[in-house]
Structure formats: structure tokens, C-alpha cells
Amino acid sequence: MRLETKLPKVGTTIFTVMSQLALEHKAVNLGQGFPDFAVPQRLVDALSRAMAEGRNQYAPMHGIPALRQAIAAKTARCYGREVDPDAEVTVTSGASEAIFDAVLAVVRPGEEVVVLDPCYDCYEPAIELAGGVAVHVPLDPQDFTVDWQRVREAITPRTRMLMINSPHNPSGAMLTEGDMRELASVLRDTSIVLLSDEVYEHIVFDGARHESVLRHPELAGRAFVVSSFGKTYHCTGWKVGYAVAPPALTAEFRKVHQYNTFCTFAPAQFAFAEMLELEPSHYEELGAFYETKRDRFREQLQATKLRPLPVPGGYFQLVDYSAVSDLPDAEFCRWLTIEKGVAAIPLSPFYARPPDGQRLARLCFAKEAATLNAAIERLEAL
């Protein structure tokens, strides 16, 4: 049977490709963004206890009450915004599901969604499956800041949604309070929905404050704010995330969610509820934990020919490899993995049109010291 694909530009994700290549060539995998250290013991114990107590059947569609209440309490504690756990919080099977649900809930065929390049690779497929059109606005190629005038120029009567991501993957750049004011100005007097991907919300450095959309009432009133327990608690394989949105948006969001996954892994929901309530210090201290790793990794990179770019947030380090090679980034990362034994992620898959001559690769420093040391030893030989 001949089948016309609905996603003609989509193949296997670059993260899967590079991780498989790393496995085949026994490379140190600094490509795919997962920690290789332990999940907090309290969380593991709580998960085991929930399973042993028989909490293994369907959870409520929008999440167990204890977890939604804990998320609401955390939202108030971190961002000063009171949200209704029953009408504004939905637990999802990872942040990626939440992004798909949000797009499919509000974007209609022919409508446009503005995305800021480089952007995470699941954004555009979600838009295309909704019948929408992704409109790509490039960030500054040096520091990945937003040119808000270019965003204004991208807005048309067909614009339905604008997607932002802070701390930003892949660059680690962060939106500022000034950016939030500009964003509010762009969206004011429109019916455009905002989707804010904030999965690295607690991994911020140098005393900076994460400018969550939830801090800003004018923006929060039109936004889906998406977060991830996997990034915060070192358990990306558990695939539990959530979305906070006003009641009207949440109602539409849940219409999609209930026929997508219906509900999310129940024992983990009980475990996260306990973790949020009894050990808030984990997310409060997460930035300092990763800042130590960032600083050590950047110090080690000084002994290589790779030039590290600034990392305001998140757990990725961009490096300029132009002193090593003139290869395009995808070819360079493949060569680095096969020939030098370190897997990295190229930036070009994050773009509709990569900048000419850009020579950047993404390395993940959410790793044990031994993993990073092994990678550095190989990178010093470049």
C-alpha cells in the first residue's frame, strides 16, 4: 500500500541517532540530555511504596488530587501565583505530551504558530499534525536573545500561538523580565495563545531568577505553562510532566489529553506528590547543584580546542568547534562520536534554516564526574 506521510520532514530524532551511534562506537554520550546519576532516594522509596500499596490502576484523567495540589502549592511558592488544582493543573505523560496536547487543543488547520529558532524538535511536528503552519523567527546566533521586532513582524491575522522556551534548549539562554514586558506588548490586544516550555525552570545559575510566565498575570492569563518532573528529579525515563493553564484553556487541553494518554503512570504521581510536599529543598537547591557541574566542566574545556559559550541555565553546554574542524555540525558530531569517542548533538536539527557557517555543538553536563572526566580526556586529544 502506498501511503503519503503526514510528516514528510520527520525522520528519527537526532537524539536517538546520536545515542545509538554512541552505543555502537562505545563513545562517552554527552549528546542526549539525560542524567546518569541517581534519582533522589526519597522518590525511589515513595514509588516503591506506592506500588506495594496497590496504587497501580488508572489515575484520574487530569492527575491524582494530591499531586495537583502539590503543584499548585509549588506554583504559589515559587512564582506567587495561586492556581486552582482542579481547574488549572493537568498531569501529563511527560512535557512532550503536554506540548502536543496544547497545540492540538487550540491550533486549527491553516493557522500559524510562531516558534523561535533554534527550537526543540517536537514543536513543529505537533504544529503540522494540527494542520498548522510553523513560522520560524531566528534568535540571535551569538547569544540567542530574542529580537522582539522580528517577532512583531511575524505576527499575522492567522497567528494562533507563540511558543517560548526558557531556560532555552539547546543554548541555555534565559528570558529576562524585560523580555516578559516585550512579550506582553506583542500579545496585548490579540487572541494569540502563549505556550511556555519551562522544563528547566529550576536549573538557573549565577543568582538569576527564572522568569516564569506564571509570574506575570497578563501572560499567564493566555498561556499553557509546561514543566517536567524528569528534568528536576533526574528521572527522564519516568515521563511525568504537567501543564498549568487558565480554566478555559485547561478544559480544551484535557479534551485532547483524555484521548491521547488518558492518564499518567499512577505510582509515580503519588511519589512526586510526596517529594514536593516533604522535600522542597531538592528543587530549591537544584540550580546550585548543576552550577557546580557547569563550572567544573567549563574549566575542564579550557584544556581543549573547544570554546564554551555562556550557560545561564539548563544543563547543556554549547561549544564552538571552529578551531577543530570546518565540517558542518552534523558531520562534525558524527566524526566526533566515531573517531574521537564523544557523542554531541548538532544544532542544525533545531533550525528551519541554520545560520551560515555556524560551528556549534551541544554537550550535556548532567553527568557524573567520572563520565565528564572521561569525555574531557578524549576531547583534549582533538
Side-chain angles (χ1 to χ4, degrees):
M1 182 176 68
R2 188 172 181 178
L3 181 67
E4 183 177 350
T5 178
K6 294 181 71 174
L7 294 171
K9 293 184 286 186
V10 170
T12 304
T13 72
I14 189 63
F15 312 106
T16 300
V17 169
M18 296 310 299
S19 287
Q20 182 61 38
L21 202 63
L23 186 64
E24 291 173 5
H25 294 275
K26 297 181 173 57
V28 180
N29 189 356
L30 302 189
Q32 194 167 5
F34 59 85
D36 69 349
F37 38 80
V39 174
Q41 190 60 48
R42 182 191 295 275
L43 192 58
V44 173
D45 292 344
L47 178 68
S48 298
R49 191 183 323 113
M51 291 188 290
E53 292 173 352
R55 302 180 186 273
N56 301 303
Q57 307 311 319
Y58 294 126
M61 181 267 287
H62 43 290
I64 67 166
L67 181 54
R68 287 184 285 106
Q69 290 161 9
I71 291 168
K74 172 177 167 290
T75 299
R77 178 176 182 165
C78 292
Y79 307 125
R81 183 170 180 81
E82 301 287 341
V83 298
D84 183 343
D86 294 326
E88 298 181 87
V89 178
T90 308
V91 178
T92 61
S93 297
S96 294
E97 190 225 323
I99 290 167
F100 266 73
D101 291 350
V103 172
L104 291 167
V106 301
V107 177
R108 296 174 176 82
E111 292 182 328
E112 296 173 349
V113 179
V114 175
V115 298
L116 307 178
D117 277 10
C119 66
Y120 192 60
D121 68 347
C122 83
Y123 294 177
E124 188 161 6
I127 295 164
E128 291 180 343
L129 287 172
V133 178
V135 177
H136 294 264
V137 176
L139 299 172
D140 184 283
Q142 304 302 318
D143 61 11
F144 301 94
T145 53
V146 183
D147 183 336
W148 291 107
Q149 183 55 37
R150 295 191 71 166
V151 174
R152 285 185 175 88
E153 292 168 357
I155 301 294
T156 76
R158 296 182 299 279
T159 305
R160 180 58 171 160
M161 177 180 278
L162 170 64
M163 300 177 73
I164 61 172
N165 173 209
S166 180
H168 180 248
N169 180 11
S171 74
M174 291 173 56
L175 297 176
T176 65
E177 188 174 4
D179 287 314
M180 294 294 106
R181 289 195 295 269
E182 291 283 355
L183 177 57
S185 175
V186 169
L187 299 181
R188 193 173 295 133
D189 301 321
T190 75
S191 59
I192 297 170
V193 175
L194 179 63
L195 194 159
S196 185
D197 177 353
E198 303 186 14
V199 299
Y200 301 101
E201 62 182 319
H202 299 299
I203 309 176
V204 298
F205 308 134
D206 307 314
R209 184 178 88 160
H210 169 54
E211 288 299 329
S212 174
V213 163
L214 293 167
R215 294 188 189 275
H216 303 274
E218 183 178 0
L219 294 173
R222 64 166 77 230
F224 298 103
V225 178
V226 174
S227 195
S228 165
F229 289 118
K231 303 298 189 298
T232 299
Y233 293 103
H234 322 317
C235 53
T236 59
W238 293 18
K239 292 297 292 180
V240 182
Y242 60 91
V244 176
L249 289 179
T250 293
E252 296 305 308
F253 180 95
R254 288 176 177 175
K255 291 177 184 179
V256 179
H257 168 66
Q258 72 178 337
Y259 292 115
N260 187 357
T261 62
F262 178 71
C263 68
T264 294
F265 182 46
Q269 294 194 48
F270 289 95
F272 285 125
E274 179 177 321
M275 190 74 184
L276 286 174
E277 180 183 0
L278 298 181
E279 201 171 320
S281 59
H282 177 88
Y283 64 76
E284 292 170 340
E285 297 168 2
L286 194 64
F289 169 79
Y290 273 116
E291 187 168 338
T292 300
K293 287 188 173 293
R294 178 202 66 170
D295 292 349
R296 174 59 179 156
F297 189 51
R298 290 174 62 81
E299 179 185 339
Q300 290 177 303
L301 284 168
Q302 299 303 319
T304 77
K305 293 181 180 179
L306 302 175
R307 180 175 66 86
L309 275 62
V311 184
Y315 54 48
F316 300 113
Q317 172 68 66
L318 290 188
V319 292
D320 185 321
Y321 63 83
S322 55
V324 177
S325 173
D326 287 328
L327 288 171
D329 62 356
E331 294 180 35
F332 172 77
C333 289
R334 184 175 178 83
W335 171 83
L336 186 69
T337 304
I338 296 172
E339 301 297 333
K340 301 301 179 180
V342 178
I345 295 292
L347 257 63
S348 54
F350 294 81
Y351 285 93
R353 292 186 181 86
D356 291 339
Q358 189 179 72
R359 297 291 182 262
L360 298 178
R362 192 194 79 174
L363 301 173
C364 177
F365 57 83
K367 307 293 180 184
E368 293 279 14
T371 305
L372 297 176
N373 292 343
I376 289 294
E377 183 177 346
R378 299 178 185 194
L379 295 174
E380 285 177 343
L382 291 175

